[in-house]
Amino acid sequence: MKVLVIGGGGREHALVWKIAQSPLVTKLYCAPGNPGTAALAENIPLAADQVDKLLQFAYENKIDLTVVGPEQPLSLGIVDTFEAHGLKVFGPSQKAAFIEGSKAFSKDLMKKYQVPTAAYGVFTDQAAAEEFIKQTGAPIVVKADGLAAGKGVIIAQTCEEAIAAVSDMLSGNAFGSAGSRVVIEEFLTGEEASFLVITDGKNIIPLASAQDHKAIFDGDQGPNTGGMGAYSPAPVVTQAIHDAAMELVIRPTVDGMAAEGRPYRGVLYAGLMVKDGQVKTLEFNARFGDPECQPLLMRMKSDLVPVLLAVASGDLGSAAIEWHESASVCVVMASAGYPGDYAKGDVISGLDEAAQLEDVYVFHAGTASKEGNCVTSGGRVLGVTARGASVKAAIDKAYQAVSCIGWSGVQFRTDIGRKALDKI
Ligand code: AMP
Ligand code: GLY
C-alpha cells in the first residue's frame, strides 16, 4: 500500500522510519519531509497546511493511508476533507482536534466530565482577568486559548507578571488571534508525564509511558520549548498512575468527546501532572508528541501500520501493540537562541559518525540540504535517539551520539532522563 506522512519535523521522521519498516508498505511519501525522511521516503514539496494541494496529491496518487503529524492541518480539518473524498486518514476530525485547538474548550470539557485538572477561569476581558489573578495569587499560569506552537503558556511568578501576560495576549501582540481569549489557571506542582493513547472513539490502546523535558535548560530552568528531550518508559507512571490516567482522564474524555458529537479518532495525548499518587491533566494534544514520538516508536515492536489503518477505517477491533522491554531516550539538539530567534544555515558535522553507533538513530527536525552539506534550518534541529537495556544505558548511548555531532552555537540539555534514574 501507499502511505503519505504529513509534516516535516522529528516526529514525522520517526513516523516515516517506523512506517517504512512495515511489510505492508510499498511506497512511502512525506510532505514536506526533511533531509532525514528523504532517505526513507519520497519527499513532496507541499507544506503541512496546504490541505487542498495535499488532497489533490493523495487523490491523484491513490494514497491508501495518510498519517497526519502536526496539529495545524488537523485544526484546519484535513481529516474531514480527505474523508469527504473517500481517502483513509489517521487523525482526529476538525471538531475532535478542537481539544487541542482551544484550551478553553478542553478545560470546559474536563470540568463537564469531571476529569481532574487545575482550577481555572476563561477571559476575554482584561479587568475580569486581573480580578481573578488577584484573588488566586501567584504563581499562576496564563495560557493563550488557541494554537501557539507550545509557547502560549506563561508561568507567572507574580501577579504583575500574569497581568502583563494577559494584556500581551488579549491585545493580540503575543500569539495574534490565538491569544484573544485566555485561560488562567492554578499553578500545579509535581512531576509531568506524557500519556498517549490510540483510539477509534470507543476502543483505546495506551502507548508506553513517556516523559518530555519542556524547559530549555538543565534542571527544568528557563523558558518552555516544544520539548528538549524525552524518554520511555517513565517510572513516574507506575501501574497505579497508569490505571488512574486511563480511568479518570482518558476514558471519560474519549466518552465525553463522543457525547459532545466530536468522536475522537487518532492519538490522544494527555499531559499529566503526577503528585502524591494523584493525576491532574495539564492539557490535551490531538497528535503524537514531539519529541515523545521518537523514543516511543523506537521501543514499539509491533507494526504500526495495521493499527493506524484500523483507526482510519473506524474500528480498532482487537488490535494491540507490543513493546520492546528496552528503554529509549531522545536528546534534542537545538540552534543557538532557541526558543527565541535562532540562527540558521550552520553546517552540521558528525552525522555519519553518529550513524555508525548501534541502537542509535538521529531523527532530523529542523535541517536542510545546502551545497552537499546538512545545515540547521529550525529551532529544534535533531532528535538523537538511542535504545538500551535500561534508561541509564539508553542515556549513555544517546549522549555518546550527541558528542559526535556539532555546529556553531549548538545547545542541548545534559540531563535528559535523569528524573528516571532518581527513581530507580
Ligand atoms: P500546556 O501546553 O498547557 O501543557 O503547558 C505547557 C507546559 O506548561 C506544561 O507542560 C507544564 O510544564 C506547564 N504548565 C501548564 N499548565 C500548568 C499548571 N497549571 N501548573 C504548572 N505548570 C503548568
Ligand atoms: N512535546 C510536547 C508536545 O508535543 O506538545
Side-chain angles (χ1 to χ4, degrees):
M1 60 189 280
K2 293 185 187 176
V3 179
L4 166 65
V5 173
I6 293 179
R11 164 183 50 213
E12 289 76 25
H13 188 183
L15 284 165
V16 162
W17 173 81
K18 181 69 183 162
I19 291 169
Q21 294 168 38
S22 171
L24 298 171
V25 176
T26 49
K27 178 77 189 170
L28 183 55
Y29 300 95
C30 190
N34 61 40
T37 63
L40 302 164
E42 183 178 337
N43 283 351
I44 305 299
L46 292 174
D49 59 0
Q50 288 181 291
V51 174
D52 290 339
K53 291 203 166 126
L54 289 164
L55 171 68
Q56 190 185 349
F57 173 83
Y59 202 76
E60 284 173 1
N61 290 278
K62 300 192 170 54
I63 300 296
D64 299 296
L65 174 68
T66 298
V67 182
V68 186
E71 59 274 23
Q72 291 89 344
L74 295 170
S75 286
L76 291 171
I78 193 167
V79 169
D80 312 69
T81 304
F82 272 49
E83 285 183 344
H85 289 81
L87 291 165
K88 283 211 165 82
V89 54
F90 177 85
S93 67
Q94 185 173 37
K95 276 172 96 176
F98 206 49
I99 201 166
E100 173 169 9
S102 168
K103 288 189 188 289
F105 167 79
S106 133
K107 293 292 288 190
D108 291 347
L109 181 91
M110 288 191 252
K111 189 174 179 184
K112 185 167 174 185
Y113 294 95
Q114 294 165 19
V115 173
T117 189
Y120 74 105
V122 178
F123 302 93
T124 51
D125 174 68
Q126 180 78 26
E130 288 189 17
E131 185 59 36
F132 183 82
I133 290 168
K134 283 180 190 148
Q135 271 176 16
T136 311
I140 188 163
V141 184
V142 179
K143 303 182 174 186
D145 178 44
L147 293 180
K151 292 170 196 155
V153 175
I154 307 292
I155 314 275
Q157 295 305 326
T158 63
C159 290
E160 291 68 35
E161 204 187 318
I163 289 168
V166 169
S167 155
D168 273 358
M169 289 185 193
L170 290 182
S171 66
N173 291 338
F175 317 117
S177 62
S180 60
R181 195 152 60 142
V182 296
V183 171
I184 305 179
E185 66 181 39
E186 169 200 8
F187 175 75
L188 298 177
T189 55
E191 189 171 339
E192 286 184 52
S194 304
F195 196 88
L196 285 76
V197 302
I198 292 184
T199 176
D200 59 7
K202 286 195 301 285
N203 303 296
I204 302 172
I205 305 181
L207 302 188
S209 60
Q211 189 174 57
D212 188 12
H213 298 64
K214 292 228 165 69
I216 182 76
F217 300 128
D218 282 9
D220 295 333
Q221 300 297 305
N224 270 347
T225 69
M228 291 300 290
Y231 65 92
S232 171
V236 65
V237 183
T238 57
Q239 187 61 47
I241 294 294
H242 173 99
D243 294 346
M246 286 299 284
E247 274 165 41
L248 304 176
V249 179
I250 300 293
R251 180 43 78 186
T253 300
V254 169
D255 291 348
M257 289 295 278
E260 296 294 309
R262 299 170 186 267
Y264 195 95
R265 290 195 345 223
V267 171
L268 180 64
Y269 164 151
L272 301 179
M273 189 69 97
V274 179
K275 192 180 180 191
D276 302 334
Q278 310 278 322
V279 291
K280 284 197 175 167
T281 313
L282 292 171
E283 65 165 342
F284 285 110
N285 293 320
R287 49 174 174 81
F288 283 102
D290 188 343
E292 292 93 327
C293 188
Q294 290 82 316
L296 282 175
L297 292 188
M298 212 155 178
R299 286 193 61 219
M300 192 181 283
K301 201 192 250 178
S302 310
D303 186 350
L304 179 61
V305 174
V307 178
L308 301 177
L309 200 56
V311 173
S313 305
D315 189 5
L316 255 176
S318 58
I321 295 178
E322 280 187 75
W323 300 90
H324 290 290
E325 283 298 316
S326 57
S328 178
V329 172
C330 170
V331 178
V332 170
M333 299 181 79
S335 298
Y338 178 77
D341 290 340
Y342 51 81
K344 279 186 183 178
D346 289 305
V347 174
I348 303 169
S349 65
L351 286 171
D352 291 341
E353 204 184 323
Q356 304 297 317
L357 297 171
E358 223 176 293
D359 292 328
V360 168
Y361 200 89
V362 178
F363 294 110
H364 289 229
T367 66
S369 299
K370 194 173 163 200
E371 293 156 10
N373 288 313
C374 189
V375 302
T376 64
S377 77
R380 293 189 291 171
V381 177
L382 300 170
V384 180
T385 310
R387 216 162 59 185
S390 62
V391 177
K392 171 84 174 74
I395 292 173
D396 290 348
K397 196 91 204 179
Y399 278 107
Q400 187 190 349
V402 164
S403 71
C404 300
I405 302 171
W407 65 84
S408 159
V410 60
Q411 50 169 347
F412 54 87
R413 283 182 57 158
T414 65
D415 63 348
I416 302 301
R418 194 170 295 162
K419 280 194 205 123
L421 299 185
D422 294 344
K423 292 203 167 51
I424 294 166

